[in-house]
Amino acid sequence: MSKIDQANQEAVKKMMLSRPVWVDIGRAKDVIPGMKDNLFLHAGPPITWDRMSGPLRGAIIGGLIYEGKAKNVEEAEKLAAAGEVEFAPCHHYNAVGPMAGVTTPSQMVFIIEDKEWGGYTYSNMNEGYGKVLRYGAYDDEVLNRLRWLDEVYAPVLKEAVHLAKGVDMKSIIAQALHMGDDGHNRNRATTSLFIRAIAPFVAE
């Protein structure tokens, strides 16, 4: 067996035996190793401002305004173009991100622990549907929703997951796939199972 085949087998083994458990919520710059005040994480490979798509630029602009680093679009564009902001792929920091969305330093993120192999990964919060940062929108409606997620929603979920002593994500994903979800665009079963798991603790 070649070294590549052996490595692939080992990777699949670790993936199949992993036990991802949602254990906490925290502010990106406080919990993601290496995160700092001028670093924005994005999906996909490394990219510079001049090569970014329109939606990703929009998310960066919204993120800069949200972080209080810019007062308007013009200021945000100048900061980004001048190299005042660092950009890096989420996966360079054990994180994941959706579409053209970005993870900014002040955003609250889910913290997932692998109970089998150790280590943590991080994800920003789904903003829902409609006008959202991950599609490049950045008006007041988008920014107010982000503030609500960070200031109202996240603290409640943080306390709830502590009461629950963690939520087994692998179990939810496995059940959802059997119920017809694809783990991407179709997530009705996943959402229902997630609510069922956490709702009693939110109520408490």
Side-chain angles (χ1 to χ4, degrees), residues 7-176:
N8 284 338
Q9 283 194 3
E10 184 66 15
V12 171
K13 173 188 171 185
K14 288 197 170 184
M15 182 174 67
M16 298 302 288
L17 293 178
S18 68
R19 290 197 303 121
V21 176
W22 168 39
V23 294
D24 207 351
I25 285 175
R27 200 168 301 282
K29 65 182 177 183
D30 296 332
V31 298
I32 299 178
M35 192 71 179
K36 48 192 176 182
D37 278 330
N38 69 331
L39 177 62
F40 281 32
L41 304 182
H42 58 78
I47 193 169
T48 53
W49 172 257
D50 58 298
R51 296 180 59 242
M52 288 181 183
S53 66
L56 182 51
R57 284 190 177 204
I60 297 292
I61 289 168
L64 285 167
I65 296 172
Y66 180 70
E67 290 286 328
K69 295 182 181 300
K71 295 178 182 177
N72 51 48
V73 176
E74 291 74 22
E75 284 188 13
E77 288 179 327
K78 285 181 181 176
L79 280 174
E84 297 294 325
V85 188
E86 292 183 32
F87 307 113
C90 288
H91 56 271
H92 286 187
Y93 288 81
N94 289 349
V96 293
M99 303 291 289
V102 294
T103 299
T104 70
S106 297
Q107 284 179 340
M108 301 296 278
V109 295
F110 289 103
I111 303 172
I112 311 295
E113 181 181 4
D114 187 338
K115 296 291 188 177
E116 178 67 26
W117 306 107
Y120 296 85
T121 192
Y122 311 89
S123 172
N124 60 1
M125 297 190 176
N126 191 318
E127 305 160 77
Y129 295 107
K131 210 185 300 182
V132 289
L133 194 71
R134 71 176 183 274
Y135 291 152
Y138 51 80
D139 66 8
D140 287 343
E141 180 182 340
V142 174
L143 299 180
N144 287 336
R145 184 182 293 179
L146 289 174
R147 292 186 187 100
W148 179 84
L149 285 171
D150 284 346
E151 297 168 12
V152 179
Y153 180 72
V156 171
L157 282 190
K158 181 180 179 71
E159 190 170 343
V161 75
H162 288 174
L163 289 170
K165 294 180 171 56
V167 174
D168 185 338
M169 302 310 294
K170 191 172 187 177
S171 173
I172 289 177
I173 293 167
Q175 291 179 74

